Each structure stands twice: as C-alpha cells, then as structure tokens.
Amino acid sequence: MLRWQRANRLIKAAIDNEESDPVRTAKRIDNLPPYLFAEIDRKKEAKQAQGIDVISLGIGDPDMPTPQRIVDAMAKAITVPRNHQYPAYAGSKAYREASAEWVRRRFGVELDPASEVLALIGSKEGIAHLFPAFVDVGEYTLVPGVGYPVYHTGGILVGGLTHWMPMNDSNDWLADFESTPADVLAKAKMMFISYPNNPSSAIAPVEYFDRAIAFARKHDLLLVHDNAYSEIGFDGYTPPSLLERPGAKDVAIELFSCSKAYNMTGWRVAFAAGNAEAIKALGTVKSNIDSGIFTAVQDAAIEAMLGPQDDVVQMSAIYQRRRDLVMDTLGSIGLSAREPKGTIYVWAKIPDGYTSAEYAGLVLDKAGVIVAPGNSYGPDGEGYIRISLATPDDRLVAALQRIKTDL
Ligand SMILES: Cc1ncc(COP(=O)(O)O)c(C=O)c1O
C-alpha cells in the first residue's frame, strides 16, 4: 500500500472513530428524573466543599445504629461456611418462616412461607422488579400523587405509564384511586399505596384499605401496599397491615422492610408477602436478575424480627420526641404541618410565594440545612417540604434554629 493510501486510511479511521458512538443508552434512561436522594447528596457535598457545616434533614436514613442483638447475630452467622455460598433465590427457608412468624405475631395474619413470602434486597428492589413482572410497554400503574419515587421511575424503566392518583390535604392524603379515568383503568395493571405514608406521614383508616381491595378486585389490578414504616407509630398508634383485611390476599401483596423498623438500611433486607401468584411472578423476575441476599444477613434479620422488640418501641419514642421538637417550632418559622402519627417525617406546608424547590434552595443557601422539596415525590407535593426526623436531637434543634434566624 502506498504511503498516501495508508495515511488516508488512517485519517478515515480516525474520523469514523470520532463519529461512531458505541455507548448508546436506552431512551428510557433519558426519561428518568435525577434520583432525588443522589441529587440531595450532591448539593450537600458542594456546600461542604465551601466549608459550610450542612445539617441534612433530607434523607430518611436512621441515625441510630442497628441494635446490638442483631449485630451479634450477624457476627455469629458470618462464621458459618454454608453462609458463604450462594443464597437461596427466594430467601432461606428459615428467613421465610421467620418473616411469616413475624407477620403472625405482629398482625395475626397467617402466611404460607413457601408460597406467600419472598425475600427482597430491600423493598426498593422489590418495588422496581414488580414492574418487569406485571407491567408491559404502554400499560399503566396507579401511583400516589406523592410517594416513594420508584413507584414512578420503575414504570419508566419498562416503558410503562404512570397515572398519578390525586392526594392532598382535602382528601387527607389518601390517594384517590376512585377518580381514575376508565381509559386508564382499561390499561392499568398495578396500583401502589403506602401508609404510614412517605412523604406526607398520613395514616390510613382500615376502611380505606377495604375500598382499595374492592377497587383492585373490580378492575383486575395487583394492589401493592408498601408498609416500609410499619413499626414506627406515635401516641399509641400501631400501623396495621393491609393483609389483615378480608380478601387482601386475593389481590394484594405487601412489602415489609427491616430498614426503618430495625435501623438496618445498609443491610438491604426486606420481604414481600401475600398473593401467591404475584409472589411467584416477582420471584421469577428476581431469579433472572439477582442471586438473593447474603444468608448471614438473613440470619441477622431473623433475630431482628423474632428477638425482643424493646428496641423498636424505644425507636418510635425517640422519633416521637423529635416530631414534637419540630411541631413546636414550625409555626415560628412560617411553616405548618399535620401532626404525624407515624413515619420519620414531618410534611410541612411552605409559605405562599415559593415553589418547593425554591424554598428548599433558600433553606440550604441561607441556613445550610437540607430539606427535601415536596414536588420530588410527585405532582401533589408542590407547596410542601419534607423534614426528616432521622437526625440527632441537637442537630435537629440547631437546624430549626438556623432556619428561624437566617431565613
Ligand atoms: C415508602 C418507602 N418504601 C420503600 C423504601 C425503600 O426501603 P428499603 O430500604 O427497604 O429498600 C423507602 C425508603 O425510604 C420508603 O420510604
């Protein structure tokens, strides 16, 4: 080959190379909003880089450690060689039995551990994988007007559509499924509800659960109750399970998690319970994607669920005290909120004249405090911010004081 021919070839290859784009992401990635908590972390780091002592009331990650009895169970389980091998896909027999036993003790509901319980790598994972199990391209999921972001983004990832169920102060933050238009219902497969609710902290009367079950039955929907805050109740309130209600298992599954109940967010351990067909479908998706939860973690979770529950009671008392701290101060900083009976959040209405994002931005810029803008949880969150109680009392008081004086 002549020298000029070779040179031409090299130039052409370089141009081709420049124009080629081997890393072409799927369009569904472009449709995803930035993940809320990753965004909050980014803002926090930027402020900290400026030397500002940022106090985060943004993320719902318990500040208290996992109870010692659970850590001890893990320390023991980690030395067992069998636990070093692949875990069982659906969760170990012992873990599924313990989950069923926990549900029986806590709610008086009987479950078959073999067919009605499935271990999850945190309930987030379960929520996300319900979409490939139940929603085809162009089909709807009924999603609360404010809620855990994955109810919406999980749909985007499979080419599904979201119908936001209206949820606001006038309907006591009980997602209004009954107003869903007929054309949406004709293409809907699944409906999420979650009480005690993140972010609004609302609780649901059991009659609401009954209506949701009847609605799901009438319209052939899988009803998913995300009960991530089942163990955090205030003023004597103990959150119920949807599975306690008649007919629930015909149409519903419920998600329970060790994350908030036992300060185990980092351990990634939860379970789904309820309708056997739905549990099987979710298990089928999962067995093609993940290989279960480290069995030692499952052993620790067994201790969490079946050991003495005094730590759970103490945790609720701490969050209740922090709730009171926030409620006592809110008025003096121009915010208002309903008094939460559960969860680890206060859902506060912001003063007129700001959007949620503007107000959260102001709080960060002027006071160095992070709060979560309500609109990040869905369209009905505009006009609100979420204040997390997962912060030590002194930092919580300092944050509120700063907002009061600096804004
Ligand atoms: C309502 C709700 N569901 C699910 C999750 C995810 O929890 P997990 O740690 O079990 O994945 C959260 C976490 O904050 C939540 O608030």
Side-chain angles (χ1 to χ4, degrees), residues 122-124 127 148 151 194 198 226 228-229 257 259-260 268:
S123 45
K124 181 179 188 179
I127 295 165
Y148 190 59
Y151 309 147
S194 178
N198 171 20
D226 179 0
Y229 298 88
S257 174
S259 287
K260 310 290 157 83
R268 315 309 305 134

Side-chain angles (χ1 to χ4, degrees), residues 44 100 116 148-149 178 209 214 219 255 305 311 327 356 385:
K44 181 177 171 184
E116 296 177 332
Y148 190 59
E178 276 135 350
F209 287 166
H219 297 286
L255 308 178
M305 292 188 284
D311 33 37
M327 292 306 292
S356 298
I385 54 164

Side-chain angles (χ1 to χ4, degrees), residues 35 37 59-61 120-127 147-151 193-199 226-229 255-260 264-271 344-345 377 386:
Y35 193 67
F37 305 120
I59 295 180
D61 192 354
L120 300 174
I121 312 169
S123 45
K124 181 179 188 179
E125 177 265 309
I127 295 165
Y148 190 59
V150 186
Y151 309 147
I193 56 171
S194 178
Y195 296 93
N197 182 254
N198 171 20
D226 179 0
N227 209 343
Y229 298 88
L255 308 178
F256 297 100
S257 174
C258 288
S259 287
K260 310 290 157 83
M264 291 176 76
T265 46
W267 300 61
R268 315 309 305 134
V269 61
F271 67 93
I344 55 174
Y345 310 109
Y377 299 92
R386 192 192 76 172

Side-chain angles (χ1 to χ4, degrees), residues 127 130 134 151 190-194 221-227 242 251-255:
I127 295 165
L130 279 167
F134 290 97
Y151 309 147
M190 187 162 69
M191 159 171 152
F192 282 97
I193 56 171
S194 178
L221 299 169
L222 172 69
L223 174 62
V224 184
H225 184 231
D226 179 0
N227 209 343
L242 180 95
V251 295
I253 61 167
E254 188 156 26
L255 308 178

Side-chain angles (χ1 to χ4, degrees), residues 116-199:
E116 296 177 332
V117 176
L118 180 71
L120 300 174
I121 312 169
S123 45
K124 181 179 188 179
E125 177 265 309
I127 295 165
H129 286 143
L130 279 167
F131 286 91
F134 290 97
V135 178
D136 283 314
V137 174
E139 291 181 335
Y140 276 97
T141 302
L142 275 48
V143 175
V146 287
Y148 190 59
V150 186
Y151 309 147
H152 169 56
T153 53
I156 294 175
L157 286 173
V158 299
L161 303 168
T162 293
H163 169 75
W164 297 102
M165 298 181 280
M167 206 173 152
N168 46 51
D169 219 33
S170 56
N171 65 15
D172 293 330
W173 301 94
L174 295 172
D176 174 12
F177 42 82
E178 276 135 350
S179 64
T180 309
D183 58 326
V184 170
L185 280 171
K187 288 196 283 173
K189 291 288 266 302
M190 187 162 69
M191 159 171 152
F192 282 97
I193 56 171
S194 178
Y195 296 93
N197 182 254
N198 171 20

Side-chain angles (χ1 to χ4, degrees), residues 18-187:
E18 245 175 49
E19 283 174 355
S20 78
D21 185 7
V23 184
R24 289 169 300 144
T25 54
K27 291 202 179 53
R28 61 178 77 95
I29 294 278
D30 301 336
N31 295 335
L32 282 177
Y35 193 67
L36 168 66
F37 305 120
E39 190 71 356
I40 290 176
D41 267 355
R42 199 187 52 73
K43 284 190 179 152
K44 181 177 171 184
E45 276 164 26
K47 280 278 165 195
Q48 281 170 334
Q50 295 166 24
I52 295 166
D53 168 32
V54 178
I55 305 178
S56 180
L57 309 180
I59 295 180
D61 192 354
D63 55 306
M64 295 168 274
T66 305
Q68 193 57 42
R69 65 186 175 90
I70 303 170
V71 176
D72 291 344
M74 178 72 184
K76 202 166 143 213
I78 207 165
T79 63
V80 177
R82 171 62 191 93
N83 287 350
H84 304 164
Q85 295 181 280
Y86 280 120
Y89 287 108
S92 71
K93 187 164 175 288
Y95 178 72
R96 280 178 289 139
E97 283 172 359
S99 302
E101 174 60 15
W102 181 82
V103 168
R104 195 187 64 74
R105 286 185 194 174
R106 179 64 180 78
F107 305 108
V109 171
E110 299 292 336
L111 291 168
D112 171 19
S115 63
E116 296 177 332
V117 176
L118 180 71
L120 300 174
I121 312 169
S123 45
K124 181 179 188 179
E125 177 265 309
I127 295 165
H129 286 143
L130 279 167
F131 286 91
F134 290 97
V135 178
D136 283 314
V137 174
E139 291 181 335
Y140 276 97
T141 302
L142 275 48
V143 175
V146 287
Y148 190 59
V150 186
Y151 309 147
H152 169 56
T153 53
I156 294 175
L157 286 173
V158 299
L161 303 168
T162 293
H163 169 75
W164 297 102
M165 298 181 280
M167 206 173 152
N168 46 51
D169 219 33
S170 56
N171 65 15
D172 293 330
W173 301 94
L174 295 172
D176 174 12
F177 42 82
E178 276 135 350
S179 64
T180 309
D183 58 326
V184 170
L185 280 171
K187 288 196 283 173

